[in-house]
Amino acid sequence: AQPLDQRDAYRIVQIKEKLGRLTVHLASGATPAMWDAIDDAGQQSIKVCEFCGESGVLAERRFFWSVRCRAHEDWLPWDGNRT
């Protein structure tokens, strides 16, 4: 919740998944509240299945880190259907 005249000072450069976790890169520094929110989102991202949004577990699967629930634990991209 930044004042309108200060919002341009904070820019997100990149949002991605790295090693199964949400990663956010900023163009410049951030406020402590912003870092707390980014860290909280990263912590939550390692607990949610990347396919269906159910509770999941972060683990290495076939040389890649991902968060999966039991139903999608063995799913592979070339399997097609995600259900």
Side-chain angles (χ1 to χ4, degrees), residues 57-78:
V57 176
L58 176 65
E60 184 179 3
R61 295 173 177 87
R62 296 178 180 86
F63 308 107
F64 295 97
W65 286 90
S66 61
V67 182
R68 307 277 179 90
C69 66
R70 283 187 182 254
H72 296 110
E73 190 169 49
D74 296 321
W75 185 87
L76 297 170
W78 47 86

Side-chain angles (χ1 to χ4, degrees), residues 32-46:
M34 291 168 68
W35 285 123
D36 288 345
I38 290 168
D39 187 51
D40 184 49
Q43 289 295 333
Q44 292 300 315
S45 74
I46 62 173

Side-chain angles (χ1 to χ4, degrees), residues 2-59:
Q2 296 293 325
L4 287 174
D5 62 334
Q6 294 180 10
R7 290 184 184 175
D8 285 340
Y10 304 101
R11 294 215 182 263
I12 295 173
V13 175
Q14 186 177 52
I15 299 174
K16 65 180 184 176
E17 175 192 349
K18 185 173 183 180
L19 300 174
R21 179 187 167 101
L22 173 73
T23 306
V24 177
H25 297 277
L26 302 174
S28 60
T31 65
M34 291 168 68
W35 285 123
D36 288 345
I38 290 168
D39 187 51
D40 184 49
Q43 289 295 333
Q44 292 300 315
S45 74
I46 62 173
K47 300 175 187 174
V48 177
C49 177
E50 60 191 48
F51 295 110
C52 67
E54 295 295 324
S55 294
V57 176
L58 176 65

